Amino acid sequence: MDRRRFLRQGMAATAAVGFLPALSSRAADARGTVSAPLARPVLQPAASVDLTGFTALASFQHRGVVWTAHEDLRTPQGALVLVCADGLLELGKRTEDVWGSDTPPYLGIPLAKLAMAEADLLADALLRDGDPSEQAVRDVAPPPASRLDPKDHNGRLPWTTFVGTVQANDTMQIYPDGRSRTYRAVQSFPALADADTVAHRAEGLLGGWMPAVHKVVPAGEGRWYDVLVFADVNAQDRFIVQTWHRTVLVEQGKAVRTVVGYSYPDFPPRRTGASVEDFYRGVIDFAASWQAQLAQASIAQLPDASWSDLARFAFARELVVRPGGVYPKYGAVDRDYVGNEYDGFQDTFTSSLYANLEWGRFDQARAVLDNYLSEYTQADGLVNMRGPEIGQFGLTLSLLARYLRYTGDVALLRNHQGKIEATAALLVELHDVSLALPRSDRGHGLIHGWSESDACLYPDPTLWWKPYFGNSALTIRGWEDIAAVWPTIAGGQGASRQWRQHARQLRTRLLQSIRADIRHDLRPPYLGPLPGTTETFRQAMSQEDPSKGEQLWSHRAYAELLQADVLPPEIAHLVIDCLRGHGGTTLGIVSNIWKPSPEGRDILGFISYGHAQQLLRLDRIEEYLLFLYAHRYQAHTRGSWTAGEVAGITGGMPLFCMPAQMTVPLLLRWMLVFDQDQDLYLARAVPRDWLATGKPIELQEAPTPWGRAGLRLRADTGQRRIDAELTLPAMRPNAIWLTLRAPTGTQLREVTVDGRPAKTAGPQHDRVQIPFAAGATVVVQAHYD
């Protein structure tokens, strides 16, 4: 269940590196000081955009440079272009329809039927013909935040997105009509008060990925309100987020009225209206700031640029959410998610470290890691957070090993050597306790403890101090991975021998317990989240008060069990089939496993990426793509891309949490570059439809345990040929594999690697082994029928 619902129940029960840029002119007037000049934005050549048909908006000077602002007002998607003598800054305004489709939802299946079914009926239907259709997944349910009901929010519409800066310690929420908590465009444009009109808006982000809200509210044929809101990157207020606002009424390609605001309503004569020129000065500094913040990241190019933009935006949003770009926050705005009691939440740390590492954002990864080990990890290995989660200790150890392999930064890990060793030793202590239990005990030899942090807030937290399979699985993964690099950190074998011994012993016991607990009398076969359960998780959650059962939060236990990658393939397949067949997934994503209700069925937006990772390892590619599509379209708001911790499928507004925002970047990265069992996989899950567009698919400078790697794929649909160019890492993996998922309805005919014939392998006979040469560029061609 989501955290807010949990807290309400808990109360009822207990009652009975970011840089600091320069100040803008307006901020300087208010504060009286100006910092060092901000770096100029990265510009394109002046000839790269044809400004024919654009409207000239303003001409002004900024930091000694003359600029002109132009905008394409012929379409709501028209770009904003700022031009100076050295080039131009093009900021696209792509949007997505917030309302979604008016066609009947759920593929015509009654909501109550699919909600109460044990099988994931929507996943079954969408996967019937191989790769799921991205459009079908997009339109299968009302989008999040598209069917807002004031009665669900104490009579007030909820915020649907927010803005902020790196340096500020807070954020500013933005509502459907574009207002903030301090500025309302409706005062100048009363039509924005019409809730039905606003509900049918489109939303996007300035520049495709920058954290500036763009809204298009329809106002009749050829008429719309164009709303832009972003935080002033130059403001130095510690907690207050200063905001720029621009609202334009566009009629038949002309701006008939433009109103610009800065943070607050006017208070003449001291606070007068902001100028249009100052607004565009703010845009230039905003773009320059965010270009600099996201400069360190792998370069991705996909047929639909919104996918790579979604990944970049996630990292920009993380910097907005984290005070100073570093200090962790689980959520934003709402106390139940942004309060300091959540700052040490392990999932916020692990999801951030993982995603930043995978996209080559090593500076941010280092800052996050150092901050967490310095500020939120105690000398004894415990975290400065209520309810430590056992599995996340193991994942932390695994990610520390990955950090070292990717970055070579042994100095930082040596600085925290004592805490790292204490974390691994804590798990050894828990294992020793379990080994002392009678052999007849169902938890003998399995790690006991909470899998979910919230467990500690119940009147009797011992109910969830249990041997969940996921806890032991991630502990094994953590011990094995940290032991492999410990000699580099600490010198000599030291404790690594002990950790390996415990890992082997725990792995043997875990698999023994799992095999003994599989229920082959059910179809598909069933495995519970911990040994000895007599009810399925769906049965356990169907009780009058499901929060009194040990299978609460089963979704976490399953996701972590799969993520650890310690199960033989046949058992990993069984666990995935068990979830999909017994009520544990929604649209192919792990469900928020709770009491079944005919009114809906929920998606778990965060921590479920471990489930997707195992789908990829098992080459269940179609299901992996369904997970990816469903997460984007059914766990994120449209256009503004606010990711929900738990998202329903009836159009309500999910509660934002930062770990959910990091899921799609991880899945996109793994789709293109993924390591498994000392092998490197390239293009393993590229959608067939993406290749069929004939547009390039590219990821460059992707970090791997063997060094940076890259790939570029493109299909020539006329010649029925796929061309690939691969950049190999500096060190040798066990093997390098390239997957060529030819367009739907075709199959590979012949493949050459650097001009030499190559054989195909893999479950779909579409995988080619690439001979290794350190840092080499390899050319692959494949023909298909």
Side-chain angles (χ1 to χ4, degrees), residues 188-261:
S188 301
F189 298 92
L192 293 176
D194 184 81
D196 185 64
T197 298
V198 170
H200 286 80
R201 70 195 180 280
E203 292 201 10
L205 302 164
L206 192 61
W209 60 268
M210 296 179 185
V213 176
H214 175 222
K215 295 175 183 278
V216 175
V217 180
E221 186 67 30
R223 300 177 76 246
W224 66 87
Y225 295 95
D226 193 278
V227 181
L228 285 174
V229 185
F230 61 91
D232 181 4
V233 297
N234 298 320
Q236 298 299 304
D237 307 83
R238 187 176 178 186
F239 290 99
I240 295 172
V241 177
Q242 306 284 359
T243 49
W244 282 107
H245 303 256
R246 191 201 73 169
T247 307
V248 182
L249 174 58
V250 181
E251 292 183 354
Q252 311 307 322
K254 295 181 179 180
V256 299
R257 189 182 182 201
T258 300
V259 176
V260 169

Side-chain angles (χ1 to χ4, degrees), residues 324-660:
V326 176
Y327 280 85
K329 289 292 177 183
Y330 178 65
V333 181
D334 296 311
R335 171 70 206 205
D336 289 344
Y337 284 64
V338 78
N340 64 76
E341 65 271 24
Y342 300 100
D343 291 354
F345 192 44
Q346 292 155 286
D347 301 81
T348 305
F349 166 65
T350 52
S351 63
S352 170
L353 181 60
Y354 211 161
N356 279 288
L357 281 177
E358 295 292 65
W359 280 86
R361 288 178 46 77
F362 291 166
D363 289 348
Q364 178 67 7
R366 189 184 200 281
V368 166
L369 191 160
D370 190 35
N371 171 268
Y372 195 78
L373 291 181
S374 298
E375 304 282 345
Y376 298 97
T377 306
Q378 300 169 187
D380 62 0
L382 283 176
V383 293
N384 192 8
M385 166 70 181
R386 60 109 201 275
E389 298 164 340
I390 302 301
Q392 291 298 305
F393 284 121
L395 182 56
T396 293
L397 295 173
S398 176
L399 291 176
L400 295 179
R402 182 170 290 265
Y403 175 84
L404 180 58
R405 289 195 177 101
Y406 277 14
T407 70
D409 184 11
V410 68
L412 178 62
L413 299 184
R414 283 176 180 163
N415 286 343
H416 298 289
Q417 179 179 333
K419 291 182 177 181
I420 298 169
E421 190 166 6
T423 300
L426 183 156
L427 296 173
V428 170
E429 291 171 11
L430 292 173
H431 191 211
D432 287 340
V433 170
S434 74
L435 290 170
L437 294 173
R439 290 189 174 273
S440 58
D441 191 296
R442 63 171 176 166
H444 170 78
L446 298 175
I447 301 287
H448 288 57
W450 298 316
S451 68
E452 166 58 49
S453 179
D454 290 344
C456 75
L457 296 183
Y458 275 85
D460 182 12
T462 62
L463 178 58
W464 297 281
W465 193 268
K466 296 289 172 63
Y468 298 101
F469 292 134
N471 287 348
S472 291
L474 273 180
T475 296
I476 295 165
R477 172 56 49 217
W479 278 335
E480 290 181 346
D481 290 352
I482 199 66
V485 301
W486 194 247
T488 302
I489 298 170
Q493 292 298 319
S496 60
R497 289 195 185 94
Q498 181 194 32
W499 299 336
R500 285 194 181 96
Q501 179 183 348
H502 276 274
R504 287 192 295 269
Q505 190 175 14
L506 182 55
R507 184 189 285 260
T508 299
R509 175 65 185 124
L510 174 65
L511 295 180
Q512 178 189 54
S513 180
I514 284 176
R515 288 191 171 102
D517 218 63
I518 295 172
R519 291 188 57 182
H520 292 283
D521 60 311
L522 298 178
R523 289 291 178 271
Y526 177 84
L527 175 71
L530 74 166
T533 56
T534 58
E535 299 176 307
T536 67
F537 56 78
R538 199 86 186 285
Q539 291 168 339
M541 291 296 101
S542 297
Q543 305 304 315
E544 184 176 351
D545 184 358
S547 67
K548 293 182 179 179
E550 65 182 8
Q551 296 196 60
L552 188 61
W553 304 297
S554 292
H555 39 256
R556 176 185 286 276
Y558 283 112
E560 293 182 342
L561 172 63
L562 291 169
Q563 180 169 2
D565 193 28
V566 299
L567 303 177
E570 68 275 9
I571 295 181
H573 279 295
L574 183 148
V575 173
I576 290 171
D577 293 340
C578 162
L579 284 169
R580 184 169 156 187
H582 292 286
T585 68
T586 300
L587 277 168
I589 299 176
V590 179
S591 298
N592 183 56
I593 297 175
W594 180 241
K595 190 170 187 174
S597 166
E599 297 179 356
R601 187 163 172 152
D602 291 341
I603 289 170
L604 189 68
F606 86 123
I607 71 172
S608 57
Y609 64 89
H611 179 270
Q613 192 177 59
Q614 190 60 254
L615 290 172
L616 187 61
R617 291 191 189 106
L618 296 173
D619 287 310
R620 298 174 71 147
I621 305 301
E622 293 86 358
E623 292 167 271
Y624 184 84
L625 293 176
L626 175 60
F627 190 112
L628 174 67
Y629 295 159
H631 203 285
R632 170 180 172 168
Y633 292 112
Q634 305 302 334
H636 288 69
T637 58
R638 297 289 166 88
S640 57
W641 293 334
T642 297
E645 176 192 56
V646 174
I649 56 171
T650 57
M653 178 63 201
L655 290 167
F656 164 77
C657 82
M658 197 60 232

